[in-house]
Amino acid sequence: GLGFNIVGGTDQQYISNDNSIYVSRIKKDGAAYLDGRLQEGDKILSVNGKDLKDLRHKDAVELFRNAGYDVSLKIQRRLQPQNGPVGHRGDGESGGLPLAAILVPGLALAAAAVWILLRYRQRM
């Protein structure tokens, strides 16, 4: 195989009102993993020049199975890594806060709390 799984299609939409085919998983040590260019969340637009637009999931799977040894994929890179469905806002802006914006202040508060607790225990 090509070393990755796909989701989507007209009958199994991965994103509401979007019939596109997406890479759901890259198999470790598979062909796609070893090549290194394909990423989870990428939208696959065509396989060997054949457009994947408005295909049923099983028809897209069949195209990949019959792709042969040399496979050419046209993809659209996701905007940013995400968990769950890939969202496209259309304005180039990502939604939400970056994880570091939440974790860094949280870790700083936790470190300060531990320091205060230790200082308090030393005085007792």
Side-chain angles (χ1 to χ4, degrees):
L2 299 174
F4 63 92
N5 293 356
I6 60 170
V7 292
T10 58
D11 56 336
Q12 296 179 20
Q13 290 182 344
Y14 181 57
I15 299 173
S16 297
N17 300 316
D18 183 353
N19 295 331
S20 301
I21 302 295
Y22 292 89
V23 176
S24 62
R25 184 172 154 248
I26 306 279
K27 297 176 184 176
K28 188 154 177 108
D29 297 326
Y33 177 85
L34 295 173
D35 177 78
R37 290 180 283 179
L38 196 63
Q39 297 177 9
E40 292 177 359
D42 287 348
K43 181 192 288 191
I44 304 176
L45 305 175
S46 68
V47 179
N48 293 338
K50 295 179 184 171
D51 192 5
L52 295 183
K53 188 174 182 175
D54 296 324
L55 285 182
R56 293 180 301 173
H57 181 82
K58 71 175 191 170
D59 295 330
V61 169
E62 200 60 31
L63 273 178
F64 285 104
R65 284 192 177 138
N66 295 321
Y69 182 75
D70 290 320
V71 180
S72 173
L73 300 178
K74 182 177 180 182
I75 61 135
Q76 179 179 338
R77 183 75 65 212
R78 64 177 181 233
L79 295 176
Q80 69 177 23
Q82 298 179 354
N83 291 329
V86 176
H88 299 281
R89 291 179 43 155
D91 59 3
E93 296 292 323
S94 61
L97 292 172
L99 186 58
I102 297 167
L103 288 180
V104 171
L107 290 172
L109 286 172
V114 168
W115 182 80
I116 290 169
L117 179 64
L118 290 174
R119 298 280 292 167
Y120 178 76
R121 293 179 97 193
Q122 284 178 351
R123 292 186 182 184
M124 292 183 79

